Amino acid sequence: MSSSIYENLGAQSAQFIRAEHRMLIGGRWVEAFSGKTFDVFDPGTGEVVACVPEGEAADIDLAVQAARRAFEAGDWARMKPADRTRLLLRLADLIERHGDELAEIEAVDNGKPLAVARRGIAGTAEMVRYMAGWATKLNGESVNLSVPGEWHAYTTREAVGVVGQIIPWNFPLSMAIWKIAPALTVGCTVVLKPAEQTPLNALRLGQIIQEAGFPDGVVNIVTGFGATAGAALAAHPDVDKVAFTGSTETGKRVIQAALGNLKKVSLELGGKSPVFVFPDANLELATPGAANAIFFNSGQVCSAGSRLFVHKTVFDRVIEGVIEHGNKLKVGHGLDPASQVGPLISRQQKQRVDGYIRQGEEEGARRFGEQRAFDAGGYFVAPTVFVDTTPDMSIYREEIFGPVVCAMPFDDDDLDRIAAEANRTEFGLFAGIWTQKLGLAHKLARRIKAGSVSVNAHMVNEPALPFGGYKQSGWGRERGREVFDLYTSVKSIAINLD
């Protein structure tokens, strides 16, 4: 780490990043079975900042064996729900205690601005606490039977078993906790495969999990590539359930890999989310809200508001405001205290987003947004707004995963037609509505095919609210009470009392 920007790092985070990294398997920190490693890059500079083991199928197999032993025998298998709650609450406290360090690691590993990363740490700890509270409250129910005779019948919820979890690079720590916390709440054991672009905070989290006192083998962390380690985890015959967050294309491959033993699968995939601004909306809130919906985290958000529909009577005012908002955002390295928008995750992602921008201009859309010169070493793209877009354009149809929004005016008062435009996509993850008319908001929300809809806000990050998609945005729901359906199996028991 040669750049002067790293002088802003705290001593603990700098020491961790520079350390010799190992994977966590069965409570031990180990090298890859093959001895191979791969480099980790800071997307804000393009520099190599760390080196981690390149786990493959052999390492996944060892991790699954460790998770199986922990699930079926030992302290974890015998642990009472209240004791799991106490461990999880201790984990939440430790995440907060190490919050500055975790935020700095994420600013280097992922590139997000430090202020954004710090807010994410607080949300991550609260997610753990929310899940911890459920450990003592997940019960079955008694069932009244109609068959002849006298019966006592009831259901129970049981942990599904060993869970393989594959997480993305856009919110490395948050996504790890979204997966790990509910699985541990119900008594599952975990093999986590972090994204190869952002493995560092997952490894630091593994150390904190050990510090919290979780038994060996309950959480195992294997770093490696999706095509090798991820594929081996999804296909492993002794994994009972796989949870994946990432692209729709990769999600389909996870499904195919999971067919061998018909393991349970949950998927949180892509989006092309619509945001509607109606003429009665409070534009002082709606305009920056629509801008943040796409520029937050450099647009690398599955629920990003990448299709912006604005009523023609306020279109010019709103779009000018969104462009102005984007132009004022300070784009820079995550450790720069002034940064509001960080880099894209990799050179490949920058090339992909730049390609969409060029294609949008070639297809006839008009581009707005301040053109800026950035450090050639970082993977930066300035906030970009397209107008004069049409449904046949690639920038309108496809998930770009960058700070690029397509803006379209509408003048229709027919909510069925408005909803049809929102639903004109293979995705169905999120939608935003800005209006002060309560009836309009309720009616349109009912018509939109999406797993989440926010009114006069964008994507409420609340642990109690289920999150997931319709159509090709995925299977199942994370967060909320509903997440436990992913990690438990229901057993029915009927006892003949005659």
Side-chain angles (χ1 to χ4, degrees):
M1 297 190 295
S2 60
S3 297
S4 60
I5 191 70
Y6 300 121
E7 296 173 0
N8 296 332
L9 274 175
Q12 286 183 312
S13 47
Q15 181 180 5
F16 174 79
I17 292 170
R18 294 189 180 101
E20 190 173 349
H21 296 287
R22 297 287 185 268
M23 302 182 297
L24 178 61
I25 298 179
R28 298 174 55 241
W29 292 93
V30 299
E31 297 179 350
F33 184 79
S34 67
K36 293 193 289 187
T37 63
F38 64 96
D39 292 333
V40 179
F41 294 85
D42 175 352
T45 64
E47 292 185 18
V48 174
V49 292
C51 183
V52 300
E54 185 179 335
E56 296 176 324
D59 306 283
I60 290 293
D61 187 55
L62 290 172
V64 172
Q65 290 179 42
R68 177 60 63 190
R69 288 192 299 271
F71 180 72
E72 295 185 349
D75 293 342
W76 186 251
R78 295 187 294 268
M79 189 172 290
K80 300 298 185 183
D83 294 323
R84 293 201 298 271
T85 292
R86 279 189 280 272
L87 276 178
L88 285 162
L89 291 176
R90 192 180 306 160
L91 175 60
D93 290 344
L94 287 170
I95 287 171
E96 283 188 336
R97 187 181 306 169
H98 294 289
D100 286 343
E101 178 189 355
L102 292 167
E104 289 180 348
I105 293 170
E106 192 133 315
V108 173
D109 198 22
N110 165 271
K112 61 169 51 70
L114 194 54
V116 175
R118 284 180 173 138
R119 290 197 298 271
I121 299 302
T124 297
E126 286 309 305
M127 180 68 76
V128 177
R129 291 191 179 103
Y130 173 85
M131 295 299 168
W134 277 104
T136 57
K137 302 172 184 65
L138 291 168
N139 304 312
E141 60 181 16
S142 60
V143 181
N144 294 320
L145 303 187
S146 298
V147 296
E150 191 167 350
W151 297 81
H152 174 55
Y154 60 96
T155 63
T156 62
R157 279 190 176 272
E158 299 180 352
V160 72
V162 175
V163 178
Q165 300 181 326
I166 304 170
I167 59 172
W169 43 256
N170 55 341
F171 295 96
L173 186 63
S174 295
M175 292 295 98
I177 288 299
W178 277 35
K179 295 284 191 292
I180 291 173
L184 299 186
T185 294
V186 302
C188 293
T189 55
V190 168
V191 178
L192 179 76
K193 208 295 283 184
E196 53 263 35
Q197 297 88 347
T198 54
L200 296 182
N201 247 346
L203 296 177
R204 185 66 184 100
L205 178 62
Q207 294 176 348
I208 295 172
I209 287 170
Q210 287 188 311
E211 185 180 352
F214 284 84
D216 293 347
V218 172
V219 175
N220 307 272
I221 301 171
V222 178
T223 53
F225 292 93
T228 49
L233 184 57
H236 198 288
D238 204 25
V239 169
D240 301 299
K241 182 257 187 315
V242 62
F244 171 79
T245 296
S247 71
T248 297
E249 179 183 355
T250 304
K252 293 176 180 178
R253 292 200 293 269
V254 168
I255 295 170
Q256 292 298 317
L259 289 176
N261 67 338
L262 291 178
K263 58 175 62 70
K264 293 181 72 170
V265 177
S266 61
L267 306 167
E268 198 272 281
L269 307 175
K272 192 68 177 176
S273 300
V275 174
F276 288 92
V277 180
F278 287 86
D280 67 289
N282 181 341
L283 300 187
E284 299 303 314
L285 297 177
T287 301
N292 287 325
I294 185 62
F295 301 144
F296 171 71
N297 207 46
S298 302
Q300 298 172 125
V301 184
C302 53
S303 57
S306 53
R307 289 184 297 152
L308 178 56
F309 299 93
V310 184
H311 195 274
K312 68 175 184 180
T313 58
V314 293
F315 182 82
D316 289 344
R317 179 180 168 187
V318 171
I319 300 310
E320 288 171 5
V322 171
I323 294 169
E324 182 181 7
H325 185 96
N327 288 342
K328 289 181 177 178
L329 290 171
K330 172 68 166 62
V331 182
H333 194 283
L335 293 177
D336 182 346
S339 289
Q340 297 168 292
V341 177
L344 300 184
I345 190 61
S346 65
R347 186 180 307 279
Q348 293 81 2
Q349 183 66 11
K350 173 175 165 54
Q351 291 170 344
R352 182 176 186 272
V353 173
D354 285 341
Y356 273 110
I357 291 172
R358 287 193 301 272
Q359 194 168 358
E361 291 179 307
E362 291 168 359
E363 291 176 345
R366 286 191 294 149
R367 174 187 178 186
F368 292 91
E370 185 180 88
Q371 307 305 301
R372 314 182 199 179
F374 297 110
D375 181 347
Y379 312 130
F380 298 101
V381 172
T384 300
V385 178
F386 277 108
V387 299
D388 298 338
T389 57
T390 57
D392 61 312
M393 294 180 177
S394 58
I395 55 172
Y396 182 101
R397 299 191 318 271
E398 300 173 19
E399 185 178 37
I400 299 173
F401 227 60
V404 182
V405 62
C406 299
M408 289 75 60
F410 71 93
D411 61 0
D412 204 329
D413 294 325
D414 186 326
L415 292 186
D416 288 327
R417 282 199 288 266
I418 291 173
E421 194 58 47
N423 297 332
R424 193 198 294 220
T425 173
E426 64 189 22
F427 302 110
L429 188 59
F430 174 81
I433 302 169
W434 293 86
T435 179
Q436 297 185 74
K437 296 180 179 178
L438 190 60
L440 185 156
H442 278 299
K443 291 176 182 178
L444 183 56
R446 289 178 178 177
R447 289 165 169 78
I448 292 175
K449 293 182 173 65
S452 298
V453 179
S454 290
V455 179
N456 297 329
H458 186 80
M459 201 56 252
V460 182
N461 192 20
E462 163 58 49
L465 276 175
F467 181 76
Y470 288 18
K471 299 188 283 188
Q472 293 194 43
S473 286
W475 293 349
R477 293 294 180 269
E478 302 203 73
R479 303 190 318 195
R481 164 64 180 77
E482 286 75 5
V483 70
F484 299 111
D485 293 335
L486 307 182
Y487 295 104
T488 58
S489 295
V490 176
K491 178 183 288 184
S492 62
I493 300 168
I495 302 172
N496 189 340
L497 300 180
D498 291 332

